[in-house]
Amino acid sequence: MNEPTLNYVLCPGSAAPPSSAGAATAATSQHRMAYWEWNATGNPAHPHVVVCVHGLSRQGRDFDTLARTLSAHARVICPDVVGRGRSDWLADPMGYQIPQYAADMLALLGQIHQQAPIATLDWVGTSMGGLIGMGVTGQPGLPPPVPVRRLVLNDVGPVIQWEALQRIGQYLGQTVRFESLQQAADAMWAISTSFGPHTPEQWLELSRHMVRELPDGGLVLHYDPAIAVPFRTLTQESAAAGEATLWQLYDHITARTLLLRGAQSDLLSHETATAMALRGPRARLVEFDGVGHAPTLVAADQVAAVTQFLLAQEGALAG
């Protein structure tokens, strides 16, 4: 079966001591960000690159199903955002915010481009990954090596509903020990039913990379609990104040944009999604019934929506 390779890129910003982050590097002014590369094109220097960036408490292997499909046509790069998965943890928890994440992605794109020139660059971002994508594509002062051609925003936009942030805050950063992968999967499902219908096999596979093993064989969630520190500083007022900045970023996006929304999403309202279809890049909106925040891009119709958008000839997207 087509499987990814694990790679790393050095990014600015001090890593936490190794004892805090498991496999982290020694304390320096840099940290390592891990990324998974999928490539079944037969060309290790394929010029079409698709970057897939996950949500707040997730990691890069979330995109396995989508990446396997896309990897026949492009190099698919799925980073573990710093503090998650196989990446280092940060020495300063306040670094766990969009500016640091965007800087890391630019370092990643620079390394990929140096390895083999990127001719076509696309971005798929789920929730937080979409906000990072808006930061990278909507800020003229932070240009990637080549412009992002097509952008997929998965259940996220400039207006984030406060109730959803409160819901996420109830579980983010909690340290819980599990005795088995199935126990961990069951616990995660209890707070993730809004992702929509999944078979037990699909959910177990999505859960597999969400935990790391302790020396005694127990399991804990893969991420640094301190990612919750800056999240907890958010207030309803500060979240609302950030909307103007996010709309400004969105309005500067020139990439063709596909907006996915779970029809029952509590994070991206239908009103915001409709506004996104009318301004800025005028996103094409696709909604999925029976799904909240956020579509996992595992179901066949979700994978098809993304792959058809990214692989369509330019003329097919006109209008």
Side-chain angles (χ1 to χ4, degrees), residues 284 312-318:
R284 175 189 297 181
Q313 295 297 315
E314 194 61 34
L317 295 177

Side-chain angles (χ1 to χ4, degrees), residues 27 35 42-43 65 73 93 175 180-181 184 199 202 294:
Y35 64 96
N43 177 8
T65 300
H73 309 275
T175 302
S180 68
L181 175 60
T199 66
Q202 287 174 332

